[in-house]
């Protein structure tokens, strides 16, 4: 048996050094990199991390949850919201494997995340000790880096490497584990300094080529994605849009960079913009299924697809499958500023007529939306929820989507006023992330509204963590579109086969009673006229509160792609 009580004293530290057990050293590195909260679920393999957090000066906040997936999703959302790597600490074996979906989501979304796993003791390895599992090979395919730090002496450098990798372009998750016996052992080493690597300067020839393409374009469209926010380029991006007058569409955490209602935000005219453009410049998001795999227009007889420019924060993020007219990678603020400078040195493009056409379509779409947003239908049309919610959202609200059809409606109707306030499942499409993201948002933005949009199906993955919100006094408004079905699957299956199976849930389940049982508040709404008053009660509650709105399962979101 491994004796964890017989631990030698930590070696003495010289000036410029620190000493302590491996958990203390790991916490010191995390603190140096800006971490303020450790998300976890209690496990003996990682007790030294807790001891390090408690004894740090000042102590590091420990946020314990009810399922490891929530700890990892909370850390992933923290990375998105703060642009500092989030930290999840997961016990060995099932603790780590329960966190893999969140690690994969971070990989797909480019979220800075460090996950520290417990590991069976090295001095018993191969003997069949509890939860003895070689974890890095399991995680490696969905992480920037996955490795074991074999001794206490490896922790300072190994943790620093983990945080630097997670926080540098292209951002993503890093996993490290430490054998239990070594976690309790001590070491000495240099005081950690923190920091991450700034993106490279963009290639000047590529900038000149893209500037020439923009100058020659009659109908350009700019798409701003998550990495524009992650790279801290939101100010440069908005300046580029406004000074040059280029119409823009936003997605992911790019939402809000061009504020909702801005004359150059043409997301509501997306179809016309992308089908009619002669040049599409995509910045900070992959050319995946959400963007037609990088093919825009060319569907009508005699028309040609738009030329496409792809801009990314690092070379590995540039599309390898799409036909590109040009591409460039590097620090995205530098890219925007260099492009703007190049365009302003030549004849200024005039896209007024193009913008005017798109603005007209935006206006028409807004008029059409108004009928849905005010619908009196019975059962309730899910759009009516947004008709009541959107006017109640403050400019600094954090809106989190965890669901299928219901959250798709949110993408249509919610246009954030500020960047960094929109969290959705992203290209990985993982349900169950919402409660973790809500926990993270309430901590990261203590004075902001935090609204979690839940499908009733998605709620089943993590609603138990309302208990975490209650225990840690984290008030969040939860709004559920409850259509008693897996709506995103029910419609497509009927379309393909003429019937559906495994798509129905229990009708009108009182999920608000579950929230009440866990110490929060809530109510069920079946009358569209009562949605607004229920939301007002939720915002005023000062406690986790679920507005459970029973919606029409037949009111499906009219989607153009099923992700394949």
């Amino acid at each position: 048996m491994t004796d964890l009580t017989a631990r030698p004293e930590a070696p003495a530290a010289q000036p410029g050094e620190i000493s302590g057990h491996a958990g203390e050293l790991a916490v010191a590195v995390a603190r140096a990199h800006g971490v303020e909260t450790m998300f976890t679920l209690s496990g003996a393999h990682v007790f030294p991390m807790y001891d390090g957090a408690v004894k740090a000066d000042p102590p590091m906040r420990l946020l314990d949850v009810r399922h490891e997936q929530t700890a990892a999703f909370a850390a992933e959302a923290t990375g998105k919201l703060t642009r500092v790597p989030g930290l999840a600490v997961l016990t060995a074996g099932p603790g780590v494997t329960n966190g893999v979906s969140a690690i994969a989501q971070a990989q797909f979304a480019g979220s800075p995340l460090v996950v520290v796993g417990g590991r069976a003791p090295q001095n018993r390895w191969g003997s069949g000790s509890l939860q003895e599992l070689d974890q890095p090979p399991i995680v490696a395919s969905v992480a920037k880096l996955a490795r074991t730090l074999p001794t206490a002496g490896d922790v300072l450098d190994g943790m620093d490497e983990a945080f630097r990798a997670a926080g540098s372009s292209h951002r993503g998750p890093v996993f490290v584990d430490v054998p239990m016996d070594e976690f309790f052992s001590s070491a000495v080493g240099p005081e950690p300094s923190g920091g991450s690597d700034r993106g490279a300067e963009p290639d000047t020839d590529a900038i000149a080529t893209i500037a020439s393409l923009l100058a020659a374009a009659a109908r350009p469209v700019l798409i701003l994605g998550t990495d524009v926010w992650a790279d801290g380029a939101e100010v440069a991006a908005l300046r580029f849009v406004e000074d040059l007058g280029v119409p823009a569409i936003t997605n992911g955490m790019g939402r809000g960079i061009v504020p909702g209602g801005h004359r150059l935000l043409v997301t509501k005219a997306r179809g016309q913009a992308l089908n009619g453009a002669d040049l599409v410049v995509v910045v900070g998001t992959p050319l995946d299924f959400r963007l037609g795999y990088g093919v825009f227009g060319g569907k009508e007889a005699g028309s040609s697809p738009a030329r496409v420019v792809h801009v990314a924060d690092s070379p590995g993020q540039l599309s390898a499958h799409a036909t590109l007219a040009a591409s460039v990678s590097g620090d995205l603020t530098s890219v925007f500023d260099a492009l703007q400078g190049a365009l302003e040195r030549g004849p200024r493009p005039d896209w007024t007529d193009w913008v005017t056409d798109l603005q007209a379509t935006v206006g028409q779409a807004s008029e059409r939306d108004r009928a849905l947003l005010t619908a009196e239908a019975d059962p309730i049309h899910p759009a009516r929820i947004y008709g009541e919610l959107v006017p109640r959202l403050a400019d600094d609200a954090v809106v989190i989507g965890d669901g299928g059809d219901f959250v798709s409606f949110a993408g249509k109707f919610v246009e954030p006023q500020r960047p960094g306030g929109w969290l959705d499942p992203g290209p990985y499409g993982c349900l169950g992330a919402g409660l973790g993201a809500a926990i993270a948002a309430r901590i990261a933005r203590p004075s902001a509204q935090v609204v979690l949009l839940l499908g009733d199906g998605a709620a089943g993955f993590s609603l138990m963590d309302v208990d975490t919100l209650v225990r840690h006094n984290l008030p969040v408004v939860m709004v559920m579109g409850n259509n008693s079905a897996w709506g995103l699957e029910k419609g497509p299956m009927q379309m393909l086969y003429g019937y559906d199976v495994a798509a129905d849930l229990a009708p009108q389940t009182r999920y608000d009673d579950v929230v009440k049982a866990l110490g929060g508040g809530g109510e069920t709404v079946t009358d569209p006229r009562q949605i607004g008053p229920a939301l007002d009660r939720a915002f005023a509650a000062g406690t986790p509160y679920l507005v459970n709105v029973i919606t029409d399962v037949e009111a499906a979101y009219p989607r153009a792609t099923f992700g394949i």
Side-chain angles (χ1 to χ4, degrees):
M1 180 177 179
T2 300
D3 185 358
L4 300 176
T5 63
R7 303 193 302 275
E9 291 293 322
Q14 301 301 313
E17 293 183 328
I18 62 170
S19 68
H21 62 66
E24 293 173 307
L25 301 180
V27 168
V29 174
R31 171 68 52 76
H33 282 272
V35 172
E36 297 179 356
T37 303
M38 179 189 301
F39 298 97
T40 193
L41 191 155
S42 187
H45 287 86
V46 291
F47 278 176
M49 291 292 292
Y50 305 158
D51 188 60
V54 169
K55 294 179 178 176
D57 185 19
M60 178 176 286
R61 181 174 192 164
L62 276 166
L63 197 295
D64 64 304
V65 301
R66 297 298 303 270
H67 193 301
E68 286 92 355
Q69 68 167 4
T70 299
F73 279 128
E76 191 255 352
T78 297
K80 287 175 174 174
L81 291 164
T82 67
R83 299 182 282 203
V84 171
L87 173 63
V89 175
L90 308 179
T91 197
V96 169
T97 55
N98 281 344
V100 171
S101 287
I103 296 171
Q105 176 164 292
Q107 179 80 331
F108 274 70
S111 309
L113 168 67
V114 173
V115 177
V116 177
R119 185 178 176 91
Q122 189 63 33
N123 62 7
R124 284 289 187 185
W125 195 262
S127 301
S129 57
L130 176 67
Q131 296 167 344
E132 183 180 298
L133 176 68
D134 191 16
Q135 296 155 160
I138 296 172
V139 181
S141 67
V142 290
K144 289 185 72 173
L145 175 68
R147 59 174 293 212
T148 295
L149 307 181
T151 72
D154 295 310
V155 167
L156 280 172
D157 285 345
M159 286 290 290
D160 185 67
E161 178 190 32
F163 276 98
R164 288 184 185 276
S168 300
S169 301
H170 179 64
R171 295 157 190 84
V174 173
F175 174 81
V176 298
D177 62 8
V178 180
M180 188 177 189
D181 48 341
E182 291 296 327
F183 239 148
F184 282 87
S185 298
S186 297
V188 63
E191 291 183 358
S193 58
S196 58
D197 297 330
R198 185 173 180 270
E201 287 299 306
D203 179 77
T204 55
D205 290 339
I207 290 291
T209 299
I210 297 169
S212 296
L213 289 166
L214 273 164
R219 300 179 307 281
V221 173
L222 177 67
I223 298 177
L224 302 172
T226 291
D227 290 338
V228 179
W229 163 258
D231 215 43
E234 67 276 7
V235 173
L238 181 58
R239 182 171 59 240
F240 182 87
V241 169
E242 292 185 327
D243 290 356
L244 296 173
V246 62
I249 293 170
T250 58
N251 79 1
M253 291 201 77
R255 291 173 178 267
I257 291 175
V258 183
H262 194 289
R263 64 183 183 85
L264 292 169
L265 181 66
V266 298
T267 304
K268 288 183 179 296
R270 177 188 176 107
Q272 179 187 350
L274 296 182
N275 288 325
D278 58 359
L279 179 70
V280 178
V281 180
V282 180
V283 185
T285 191
L287 298 175
D288 58 19
F289 69 93
R290 297 170 298 172
L291 293 176
Y293 303 102
V295 178
F296 307 102
K299 298 176 182 177
E300 297 177 3
S303 65
S304 299
R307 303 176 86 178
V308 179
V309 171
H310 199 197
V311 180
D313 62 3
S314 56
Q317 294 303 301
L318 293 172
S319 177
H321 65 267
T323 301
L324 302 178
S327 64
V328 69
S329 64
D331 175 77
L332 295 182
T333 293
S334 297
V335 170
F336 282 118
D337 288 347
L339 279 174
Q340 184 167 345
L343 283 162
E344 290 177 343
R345 286 191 292 272
R348 188 176 184 109
D350 184 0
W351 299 310
T352 304
D353 291 345
W354 171 232
V355 170
T356 300
D357 286 346
L358 294 176
Q359 287 175 334
T361 301
V362 169
Q364 293 162 8
S366 298
E367 282 298 317
R368 289 194 302 272
D369 289 347
R370 190 169 290 113
L372 289 176
L373 294 169
T374 59
E376 296 286 346
D378 181 12
I380 295 170
H381 194 291
R384 175 62 186 266
I385 300 172
Y386 297 105
E388 300 292 342
L389 175 63
V390 170
R392 290 171 166 81
L393 293 177
D395 285 358
D396 65 349
V398 179
V399 178
I400 301 156
D402 189 7
D405 251 29
F406 182 57
V407 173
S408 296
F409 281 105
K412 179 179 178 66
F413 297 124
V414 179
E415 290 192 333
Q417 296 298 309
R418 298 183 188 178
W422 173 270
L423 297 171
D424 65 17
Y428 192 51
C430 188
L431 298 181
L435 263 294
I439 292 166
R442 175 45 68 219
I443 293 171
R445 310 275 175 85
S447 63
Q449 291 175 335
V450 176
V451 178
L452 171 58
L453 305 172
L454 282 169
D456 53 324
F461 287 88
S462 60
L463 197 61
M464 190 67 195
D465 265 298
V466 167
D467 170 78
T468 302
L469 294 173
V470 171
R471 285 185 295 111
H472 292 276
N473 191 26
L474 302 172
V476 168
V477 172
M478 296 167 281
V479 184
M480 177 181 289
N482 182 351
N483 64 3
S484 306
W486 296 102
L488 193 57
E489 285 67 42
K490 188 178 183 72
M493 191 171 186
Q494 289 175 341
M495 179 184 70
L496 288 170
Y497 296 108
Y499 69 92
D500 65 85
V501 294
D504 292 313
L505 300 172
Q508 302 190 14
T509 297
R510 292 295 302 268
Y511 295 100
D512 51 305
D513 284 347
V514 177
V515 171
K516 291 177 186 176
L518 294 171
E523 58 190 281
T524 288
V525 177
T526 58
D527 182 343
R529 295 167 296 182
Q530 294 304 313
I531 298 171
L535 290 173
D536 291 337
R537 288 188 287 273
F539 281 117
T543 188
Y545 196 103
L546 175 64
V547 179
N548 177 25
V549 185
I550 307 302
T551 60
D552 184 1
V553 71
E554 299 298 328
Y557 184 78
R559 62 189 65 257
T561 176
F562 294 102
I564 55 175

